[in-house]
């Protein structure tokens, strides 16, 4: 049986961006589906399921924040948003809170965008090389690497692939203080050249899911001025 090719959805009305990215992805054997309407973007989930969504805020297909929230409610696939300077009320922190995995800022290097997308694809279901392959215990958490699942006292916790990989890396390095830069390199999969606020927002969201009291974390603690440490 022949497997379906990897597919990425690009939600934009920018034809030049679409053509350039499509060509670069095709060289890697990845198909690009361009959607020019928000409804068509969410409907893409009903067919051959895409592995990644790219949403262009500079040439939007509709309400960017609403679209990202809808995609996250329906799927766990990574979402990258291309931000523009003239999008008031739409910033990186707001998008990350809505479940977006990554933000880039216009003008966007098409080659860097493709590289960033491929990094997400590589790491989507790929645990760290040093992570145990069997079930793990971390405080009240039970982590099953094989099934990509997390439970607390038997109750399932819904994590996105990025959140799972972040938690797995933190647990694998429990007791160690990890800087934001190191987390970006090891979990996101690239050398981040802009703000490390991405990590802070994602840590806050992860705490809401794994901590009994997120305002008084016992598992995932902040080391002021340095980074984070997992104590479970």
């Amino acid at each position: 049986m022949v497997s379906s090719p990897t597919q990425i959805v690009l939600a934009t009305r920018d034809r030049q961006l679409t053509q350039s990215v499509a060509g670069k992805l095709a060289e890697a054997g990845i198909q690009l589906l361009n959607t020019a309407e928000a409804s068509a973007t969410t409907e893409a989930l009903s067919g051959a399921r895409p592995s990644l969504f790219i949403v262009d805020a500079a040439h939007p297909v509709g309400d960017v924040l609403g679209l990202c929230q809808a995609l996250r409610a329906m799927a766990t696939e990574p979402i990258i948003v291309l931000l523009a300077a003239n999008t008031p009320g739409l910033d990186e922190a707001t998008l990350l809170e809505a479940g977006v995995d990554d933000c880039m800022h216009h003008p966007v290097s098409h080659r860097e965008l493709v590289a960033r997308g491929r990094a997400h694809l590589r790491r989507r279901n790929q645990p760290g090389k040093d992570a145990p392959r069997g079930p793990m215990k971390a405080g009240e958490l039970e982590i099953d690497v094989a099934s990509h699942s997390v439970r607390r006292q038997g109750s399932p916790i819904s994590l996105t692939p990025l959140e799972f990989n972040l938690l797995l890396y933190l647990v694998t390095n429990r007791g160690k203080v990890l800087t934001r830069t190191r987390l970006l390199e090891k979990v996101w999969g690239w050398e981040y050249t802009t703000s490390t606020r991405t990590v802070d927002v994602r840590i806050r969201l992860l705490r809401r899911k794994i901590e009994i009291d997120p305002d008084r974390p016992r598992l995932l603690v902040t080391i002021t001025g340095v980074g984070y440490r997992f104590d479970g």
Side-chain angles (χ1 to χ4, degrees), residues 116-134:
R116 189 78 65 91
R118 294 183 67 185
H120 276 285
L121 294 177
R122 283 195 305 271
R123 301 188 70 84
R124 173 168 158 67
N125 292 308
Q126 177 183 318
K129 63 180 182 179
D130 298 324
R133 294 301 186 260

Side-chain angles (χ1 to χ4, degrees), residues 78-110:
I79 303 170
I80 300 175
V81 172
L82 311 182
L83 278 170
N86 60 343
T87 49
L90 195 64
D91 55 45
E92 186 170 345
T94 300
L95 289 164
L96 292 172
E97 291 273 5
V100 168
D101 295 279
D102 188 12
C103 293
M104 298 179 68
H105 296 264
H106 279 287
V108 174
S109 161
H110 298 178

Side-chain angles (χ1 to χ4, degrees), residues 141-144 148-152 155-157 159 164 167:
L141 302 178
E142 301 169 8
I143 303 170
D144 191 321
H148 245 237
S149 63
V150 180
R151 292 177 176 271
R152 184 175 61 213
S155 299
I157 298 174
L159 299 180
F164 181 88
L167 176 62

Side-chain angles (χ1 to χ4, degrees), residues 27-42:
E27 295 173 3
I30 300 172
Q31 290 184 348
L32 183 73
L33 172 63
N34 175 226
T35 57
E37 300 293 338
S39 58
T41 307
T42 55

Side-chain angles (χ1 to χ4, degrees), residues 43-119:
E43 287 169 5
L45 287 165
S46 63
R49 200 173 186 92
S51 300
L52 175 73
F53 290 89
I54 302 173
V55 179
D56 186 9
H59 304 87
V61 300
D63 175 10
V64 172
L65 181 60
L67 174 58
C68 292
Q69 290 171 328
L71 289 173
R72 181 51 68 229
M74 299 169 66
T76 60
E77 282 75 17
I79 303 170
I80 300 175
V81 172
L82 311 182
L83 278 170
N86 60 343
T87 49
L90 195 64
D91 55 45
E92 186 170 345
T94 300
L95 289 164
L96 292 172
E97 291 273 5
V100 168
D101 295 279
D102 188 12
C103 293
M104 298 179 68
H105 296 264
H106 279 287
V108 174
S109 161
H110 298 178
R111 187 171 298 279
E112 182 184 350
L113 173 59
V114 170
R116 189 78 65 91
R118 294 183 67 185

Side-chain angles (χ1 to χ4, degrees), residues 4-18:
S4 300
T6 300
Q7 185 181 82
I8 290 177
V9 170
L10 172 60
T12 184
R13 291 184 173 144
D14 185 340
R15 292 185 178 179
Q16 183 179 359
L17 174 64
T18 300

